[in-house]
Amino acid sequence: MSQFIVNCIRYIVTQSLYFIGGFCPRSRKAVMGCYKNKFADNSKYLFLHWQQALTIRAIWISGDKVLVNQLVEQGYEAYTRWSFKGIYHALTAKYYVYNSYIGDINQYFARGAIKINLWHGSPLKRIEFDINNGPLFKVYHPQTLHDKFISAAQYHQQKVRPDHMIAPSDLVARLFAGAFRISEQQMILTGNPRTDYYQAYNQSNNQAKKSQQIAPLPDQQSLIDELKLINNVKQVILYAPSWRDSSALTTDSSNKAASANPYVNAIDFTALSASLVDNNQLLLFRLHPNEAHLANDIQHFPNIINISDWQDTYEIINDVDLLITDYSSLYIDMLQTKADIVFFQFDQQAYQSDSRQCYPYADDLPMAGEVFTEFAQLNLYLSNLSQNTNISSLTNKKNRTELAQLYWQYQHNDCFKQLDKLVSA
């Protein structure tokens, strides 16, 4: 069967189901989900809050049967996406709450529901309809009739606009509104559940304990403590690079092979491991879900732990001494922690030309930490860090304060109370 016919069938089926689903009556309950069938990010922490506050009947939907069984064993209501009850609740829930797209729950049955997109990052790189280069450009801005047909057939959920989003500052609200083609009046000005949860719920709270037990590793915090003890570790480092989306739509196997594992090419992991052992440091290696498979090439190095299969890292960010990233907006969340921040941009020029560009405002942002382009520079920094737990310059500390004010203007607006109010109206 030709690809054209496949796309025709996909388009007809998708649009027909989406249209018909809009006629189902909807009751006051929320279906919730996450990208890559995970239990993570904003929707996870809002789900846990609603389980405790009993604000609304909250139901988790996922394609991962193991995860669904774990949640059910914990006493939560959860169903697989294509089970009878999963379909039923997707068709009849008044609220869809998700981190990326309606497909986090079910992209075919969302019409007629109130869609609340919590998103999964801060708008540092261009997102959605603001993307103006790279492989994702044709998804949002197809130029030819062929590309327009492909975009309509394959990227239905990317074009579905949310009814509400959350934004922790005026800057973020403005950027989200433009990127998702909605009005700023549809924004809820408040912080993110992923960063506010552990401020609202003390770690000793039973609900917080439950959230840890649902992760693939039964208790991530206990694991960190155990690893620190076993390895005589004094400092914990989180390396979380951004997704290199230059190969997002690539089908040419030779091109994929050429950039198969940029991290192995950029980092001497043998030397890094030896340095970490000498410095009594533990490095947690966390790749984006779209690249998690690349971490399989980086195994069995002392003091380097691959955590790419963890559901998320927000349970441990307050215990990290250093974040190493590159172009990821994760550093914006880390501004609320004690961790030092450095940027390891080993492919700076190639990334800017081949992947999504950053928003123009980002060019004028103060840096929250040092910027390195060579592994030797980074390795030297780690050695210096081992001698001094806080080596951030006064300039970087001042910059962090300025950045926090820019991005977390409404952090203390009590996101849970705001979202409770929305679904209680």
Side-chain angles (χ1 to χ4, degrees):
M1 186 180 297
S2 72
Q3 189 60 45
F4 175 77
I5 295 176
V6 170
N7 283 326
C8 285
I9 295 173
R10 178 185 289 128
Y11 178 78
I12 293 170
V13 171
T14 300
Q15 296 306 314
S16 297
L17 287 174
Y18 191 73
F19 178 75
I20 294 170
F23 294 103
C24 290
R26 295 185 178 271
S27 59
R28 187 179 171 271
K29 58 187 173 183
V31 284
M32 309 177 72
C34 181
Y35 48 79
K36 299 289 184 180
N37 294 311
K38 288 178 172 288
F39 186 61
D41 219 289
N42 282 320
S43 58
K44 165 186 173 178
Y45 293 104
L46 180 58
F47 177 82
L48 292 174
H49 163 70
W50 279 344
Q51 296 299 316
Q52 174 135 323
L54 302 178
T55 306
I56 191 173
R57 181 184 179 186
I59 303 164
W60 195 265
I61 303 294
S62 174
D64 186 338
K65 292 183 180 180
V66 174
L67 172 62
V68 167
N69 289 336
Q70 286 180 325
L71 290 171
V72 170
E73 288 172 3
Q74 294 288 334
Y76 301 131
E77 187 173 9
Y79 305 104
T80 53
R81 182 168 293 116
W82 294 109
S83 66
F84 174 80
K85 288 188 176 181
I87 294 172
Y88 170 76
H89 290 299
L91 279 168
T92 59
K94 182 177 180 179
Y95 299 98
Y96 264 54
V97 184
Y98 50 97
N99 290 327
S100 295
Y101 308 107
I102 54 173
D104 291 357
I105 301 159
N106 195 312
Q107 66 167 311
Y108 300 102
F109 303 136
R111 193 172 82 89
I114 296 173
K115 293 171 279 295
I116 305 171
N117 190 345
L118 304 177
W119 204 237
H120 53 272
S122 300
L124 187 62
K125 294 180 292 187
R126 287 179 176 270
I127 57 174
E128 309 307 287
F129 287 96
D130 284 343
I131 294 173
N132 62 355
N133 77 310
L136 297 178
F137 177 77
K138 64 173 60 177
V139 173
Y140 296 96
H141 305 285
Q143 302 298 301
T144 66
L145 285 175
H146 175 266
D147 286 346
K148 289 179 181 179
F149 173 68
I150 295 298
S151 180
Q154 297 186 0
Y155 305 108
H156 157 73
Q157 64 174 338
Q158 283 84 344
K159 312 299 177 65
V160 176
R161 301 182 189 184
D163 296 293
H164 299 282
M165 296 188 73
I166 57 174
S169 73
D170 291 336
L171 168 68
V172 175
R174 185 172 67 253
L175 293 172
F176 276 167
F180 288 87
R181 294 186 172 177
I182 61 177
S183 72
E184 290 188 42
Q185 286 66 45
Q186 292 171 268
M187 296 292 165
I188 302 166
L189 300 176
T190 188
N192 288 307
R194 63 177 182 259
T195 52
D196 289 5
Y197 183 80
Y198 287 105
Q199 298 174 25
Y201 292 94
N202 187 282
Q203 284 285 355
S204 63
N205 184 289
N206 289 335
Q207 189 72 12
K209 289 180 179 179
K210 276 189 176 182
S211 77
Q212 292 175 340
Q213 292 167 356
I214 291 169
L217 300 171
D219 187 333
Q220 294 175 0
Q221 183 57 57
S222 295
L223 178 66
I224 296 300
D225 293 339
E226 183 179 344
L227 288 171
K228 289 174 70 173
L229 182 64
I230 292 174
N231 294 279
N232 190 29
V233 165
K234 297 179 180 178
Q235 294 173 330
V236 176
I237 300 162
L238 173 62
Y239 178 35
S242 179
W243 172 39
R244 278 147 177 78
D245 56 6
S246 57
S247 61
L249 304 179
T250 299
T251 57
D252 187 327
S253 59
S254 62
N255 288 341
K256 284 189 174 182
S259 58
N261 200 326
Y263 310 105
V264 170
N265 294 333
I267 300 171
D268 182 342
F269 281 95
T270 301
L272 174 60
S273 174
S275 178
L276 293 168
V277 171
D278 289 342
N279 297 332
N280 299 114
Q281 296 167 325
L282 177 70
L283 184 135
L284 306 177
F285 187 50
R286 167 80 174 184
L287 288 183
H288 188 281
N290 289 336
E291 293 185 327
H293 62 283
L294 297 179
N296 295 333
D297 295 335
I298 304 159
Q299 302 285 354
H300 312 301
F301 287 100
N303 288 41
I304 298 178
I305 307 296
N306 174 26
I307 64 167
S308 299
D309 62 344
W310 283 19
Q311 296 287 344
D312 69 31
T313 58
Y314 285 95
E315 293 162 2
I316 63 166
I317 60 173
N318 290 313
D319 297 290
V320 169
D321 297 292
L322 171 69
L323 170 69
I324 304 172
T325 188
D326 42 24
Y327 320 99
S328 172
S329 64
L330 175 61
Y331 91 84
I332 295 171
D333 288 347
M334 295 294 287
L335 292 171
Q336 301 183 51
T337 73
K338 65 180 176 59
D340 285 324
I341 301 170
V342 299
F343 301 89
F344 181 41
Q345 301 177 347
F346 58 81
D347 57 352
Q348 196 175 70
Q349 292 183 342
Y351 188 91
Q352 290 173 352
S353 62
D354 296 339
S355 295
R356 284 173 290 155
Q357 295 178 352
C358 288
Y359 282 99
Y361 86 92
D363 293 337
D364 300 321
L365 288 178
M367 295 305 298
E370 304 297 325
V371 180
F372 304 127
T373 58
E374 301 292 336
F375 169 67
Q377 298 172 311
L378 176 64
N379 213 22
L380 178 60
Y381 182 93
L382 296 180
S383 295
N384 292 335
L385 180 70
S386 69
Q387 305 302 317
N388 185 348
T389 57
N390 191 344
I391 60 175
S392 291
S393 67
L394 290 176
T395 299
N396 287 337
K397 291 178 181 178
K398 180 173 179 282
N399 289 349
R400 287 183 61 146
T401 300
E402 183 179 338
L403 287 164
Q405 292 171 346
L406 179 68
Y407 284 108
W408 299 108
Q409 181 180 355
Y410 301 113
Q411 177 188 355
H412 301 295
N413 276 16
D414 194 340
C415 70
F416 298 115
K417 184 179 293 185
Q418 296 285 328
L419 290 163
D420 286 351
K421 180 179 179 182
L422 176 64
V423 299
S424 298

